[in-house]
Structure formats: C-alpha cells, structure tokens
Amino acid sequence: MFEVRKQVRPGVESIQPYLPGLSDDDMHMKYGVDHVLHLDANENALGSSPRAIEAITKELPALNLYPDGASQLLKRAIARHHGVPVDEVFIGNGSDNILKLMAETFLEPGDEVVSPTPSFPQYGFGAAIMRASVQRVPLVTDFAYDVEALLAAVGPRTKMVFACSPNNPTGTIVTAAQAQWLLDRLPEDVLLVLDLAYNDYSTNPQRVVETPRFLADPRVVILHTFSKLYGLAGLRVGYGLARSTVWQYVNRVREPFNVNRLAQAAAIGALSDEAHRLKSQAHAAASRLFYETFAQQHGLIATPTEANFMWLGLADAKSVADALLPFGVMVRAGFPGYPGFMRLTFGTETENEWVAQALTQVLGAGANTAVPTSEL
Ligand SMILES: *Cc1c(COP(=O)(O)O)cnc(C)c1O
C-alpha cells in the first residue's frame, strides 16, 4: 500500500506548518465581533501606498500576459533608490521567497545556520527544508543583540548567520558597529544575512544600514520587503541587495516568474511614494510614544522599539491575548520560550485608543499582573 509518510523526504515530517491567526469569519462566529483589528502581523495600519494602487490599476489590462521574469523595471527602480548597480538587486515573491531560495542555493544536509532568538521563524524554515540545522542564539538583557554569542555559534559547517534589525518580534536593533564587528571576525565563507524589513521605521543613528562599505563585502546579503512600510503584504514582494555573484547562483533556483505583474508595478509605485513613506514613519513614531506611555502607566515592560510594533512583557501573555479577542483585537503571543511576552502591531490612532481601553479592562480584570523582567 502506498504510504505517503514513507515517501516524503527526511526532515519534512518535522516541519511545523505556519499557523495564521483567526480569520474575520472565525472572529465573528466565535466572539460575535464585526470589526477585527489585525494587530498580529505587523502590517501597515495606514494601508497601501496610493501610488502603488494607482500602478496596479494601470497594470490590470495586461494580466493575460506573464510578468517580466527578471523584474527589470523594479530592479532598476530599487538600484536607483539605493544607489547600487542593477545586478546587485534580486526580487522575490516576498522576502520569505528569497530566504527559501538562499537556503536552496547554499545549504546541504548537515550544514548549519545561526539565528538569533526570539526572531523571525522563517530563518529556520529554509534550513529545515534542506536538512540543515539551526543554532539559536538568545538575545541578551533587554533583548539587545549579542554579536559575540552569534560569532561563537559559528562552526565549521555554518553557511549563514542571520540578523534582523529592528528585530521581529522585539523591535531591538543591530548597530552598525555590531555588524562591522561581526564582519571583521566572521570566517570568509560565511554569509551574513541582514534582514532590514523594519529598518526604515527606525531613526536611530546607530542602526545598521546598507552602506556601500557593507555592500562591498561579498558575504553581506541585505533583505528588504514591501510588505510593511509600503503596505503591500497582500501582494508578496521583497528584495535583496548583495554582490551580483551571489544572485547569479540564487537566480538558478528561482521560479521563472516568481514575482507577479501587479506586485512589480505596485512596488515601483510605492518606492516613488515619499508622502506615504513619511506618513507611515511618523505614524509609527507617534504610536511608539503612545504605547510607551501606556506601558509606563500600567507597569508593563515595554522593550524600546524601533519598528511598527511593541514587544510587551506580561505575566501570561497568552491569556491576555486570548482575553483581547472578544474586543476584536488580535495580537501575537505564544513565542516559544517567551511565554511572558506579546507582540502588538500599531493600529491607526483610533485603533490604538481602542486597544489601550481593551488592555486596561483585561489587565484590571486580573487576567494579569506586571512582573519584573527577571521572572519572565
Ligand atoms: C514581515 C517580515 C518580512 C517580510 O516578509 P515578506 O515575505 O516580504 O512579506 C521579512 N522579515 C521579517 C523579519 C518580517 O517580519
């Protein structure tokens, strides 16, 4: 008898499928709420860039045609935006796609990657598919990066080191000095993948940025996405910056039409949309202040964030997250190893007010009490 389980590749069994939050329909049926606040995926509360939407509308009559497989126009726009050569840009169906393609290009069974924790789970996904292992390095006090520990986790089979700045879910940054320190010591055959998905939300002068000096290093890969700041998560488009030699190989495992026509057009529009970018940045900055004040007033631990979300410390974050559902508020809790924390994406101003009221009620009802960091 054909047994699927015996036929799948080793390692696939151990991969946990991504669990999305409840749908609007689920929320309506379970809690009777009609308006759901999706604050669990770090999406842009202000919506998509209007220029992106305009570009999509113009593109609609051409949907019978395949997209440009090489995403040439978008590559050129990104190259101009960052002041880099076109062949140093790679476009993916979301940066998730690039992470997987990188794994397929570089990882063999038994290889290792180094990832901070808590951080973006997708860094381990490609490794799992390729049967490479993940060395997880905890962030230190206040969730700052410990680059010495990252370096110490590098072994003879290490192919890639990941770092996310500002880090999802903690909002803490890798400084330029830390990145340089790491590059100065990292073996010459190890890639440093810097995921800067939220970096344009940060104004911290110490944060790592894609300077020509970093990009000149053949081991550096920088990842960006249109999903967050540009508000295009639903379209799936992200990009990488690295030396062209890296992309020449990653390009071999890429599906020929990995980025759809609407995504390419929208991303070009979004990149030119200075007004939307500035508005989104200002909104994140204002929301940060709002929640920092709220956290202070309620004795909650709020890690200083440089992104469009907060990492809040509570005694039992999962029960608080569950108690917020009847208010229509969806946040993320249940981070493995961090039961005392939840990640809350910034909503619109009105939504933030609503969340603050809901949280006040939930906390007041005794679902939780604040505890010192040492006990979390
Ligand atoms: C949201 C996010 C991304 C973006 O992924 P896409 O596939 O481009 O939507 C990448 N990295 C991190 C850390 C993220 O949080």
Side-chain angles (χ1 to χ4, degrees):
M1 197 180 71
F2 182 75
E3 269 192 71
V4 179
R5 196 163 170 265
K6 283 191 183 154
Q7 303 303 318
V8 297
R9 288 174 46 232
V12 174
E13 187 104 43
S14 66
I15 298 174
Q16 297 297 319
Y18 178 80
L19 282 179
L22 297 176
S23 69
D24 283 11
D25 231 28
D26 296 334
M27 287 290 283
H28 180 74
M29 286 198 298
K30 277 186 93 164
Y31 303 103
V33 292
D34 290 320
H35 181 68
V36 181
L37 277 64
H38 291 275
L39 306 177
D40 58 343
N42 299 343
E43 292 142 337
N44 191 327
L46 303 186
S48 306
S49 143
R51 286 216 186 169
I53 294 177
E54 201 183 302
I56 288 171
T57 314
K58 283 204 190 118
E59 199 64 25
L60 289 176
L63 288 187
N64 57 319
L65 304 174
Y66 279 101
D68 169 15
S71 303
Q72 278 301 331
L73 289 179
L74 176 54
K75 267 190 202 158
R76 255 186 257 160
I78 290 167
R80 252 197 323 272
H81 181 75
H82 286 287
V84 300
V86 174
D87 61 4
E88 296 191 359
V89 182
F90 185 89
I91 316 288
N93 183 33
S95 39
D96 284 1
N97 179 217
I98 305 177
L99 287 167
K100 185 164 169 238
L101 294 174
M102 295 273 301
E104 289 168 343
T105 307
F106 291 105
L107 300 179
E108 283 270 67
D111 282 345
E112 294 180 359
V113 304
V114 174
S115 166
T117 186
S119 194
F120 194 46
Q122 291 301 314
Y123 305 143
F125 174 63
I129 293 175
M130 303 314 291
R131 285 201 286 152
S133 61
V134 187
Q135 305 297 317
R136 291 198 167 79
V137 178
L139 302 177
V140 287
T141 321
D142 294 336
F143 300 101
Y145 265 89
D146 183 351
V147 278
E148 289 182 37
L150 281 178
L151 183 68
V154 172
R157 294 296 304 265
T158 304
K159 286 272 184 72
M160 296 183 219
V161 173
F162 292 96
C164 181
S165 180
N167 185 49
N168 175 5
T170 60
T172 43
I173 59 164
V174 175
T175 66
Q178 284 177 320
Q180 191 58 55
W181 186 93
L182 197 52
L183 276 175
D184 287 344
R185 289 157 185 82
L186 208 59
E188 52 183 36
D189 53 0
V190 177
L191 287 166
L192 176 63
V193 182
L194 282 171
D195 184 348
L196 304 186
Y198 303 96
N199 213 28
D200 293 327
Y201 280 114
S202 174
T203 50
N204 190 322
Q206 294 188 340
R207 73 191 186 284
V208 64
V209 284
E210 52 290 278
T211 57
R213 180 164 173 214
F214 279 124
L215 288 170
D217 192 309
R219 298 164 299 173
V220 168
V221 177
I222 305 272
L223 295 181
H224 278 282
T225 179
F226 286 95
S227 297
K228 309 290 159 58
L229 184 74
Y230 297 100
L232 297 176
L235 277 179
R236 318 302 306 125
V237 54
Y239 62 96
L241 304 175
R243 298 298 292 269
S244 60
T245 40
V246 170
W247 301 135
Q248 275 168 23
Y249 288 101
V250 179
N251 199 41
R252 296 177 194 213
V253 296
R254 178 178 71 82
E255 307 86 322
F257 301 106
N258 65 325
V259 183
N260 74 72
R261 205 170 250 287
L262 300 184
Q264 291 184 34
I268 295 170
L271 211 53
S272 73
D273 199 339
E274 182 83 15
H276 179 264
R277 186 161 50 228
L278 291 174
K279 237 163 72 179
S280 301
Q281 287 163 334
H283 165 259
S287 305
R288 234 171 261 164
L289 279 180
F290 175 84
Y291 282 114
E292 275 164 12
T293 308
F294 177 86
Q296 255 171 19
Q297 285 166 350
H298 291 78
L300 305 178
I301 298 145
T303 307
T305 180
E306 303 275 340
N308 66 335
F309 55 82
M310 291 296 280
W311 178 238
L312 284 173
L314 305 142
D316 177 4
K318 185 75 175 68
S319 70
V320 174
D322 287 345
L324 286 173
L325 291 173
F327 293 87
V329 177
M330 294 175 64
V331 300
R332 219 164 237 268
F335 292 88
Y338 299 87
F341 284 87
M342 72 179 201
R343 190 193 66 198
L344 165 65
T345 308
F346 299 152
T348 60
E349 211 173 312
T350 325
E351 288 173 340
N352 291 341
E353 296 282 354
W354 175 258
V355 170
Q357 280 181 29
L359 259 177
T360 304
Q361 284 193 40
V362 168
L363 296 173
N368 232 284
T369 45
V371 290
T373 322
S374 55
E375 289 176 31
L376 292 169

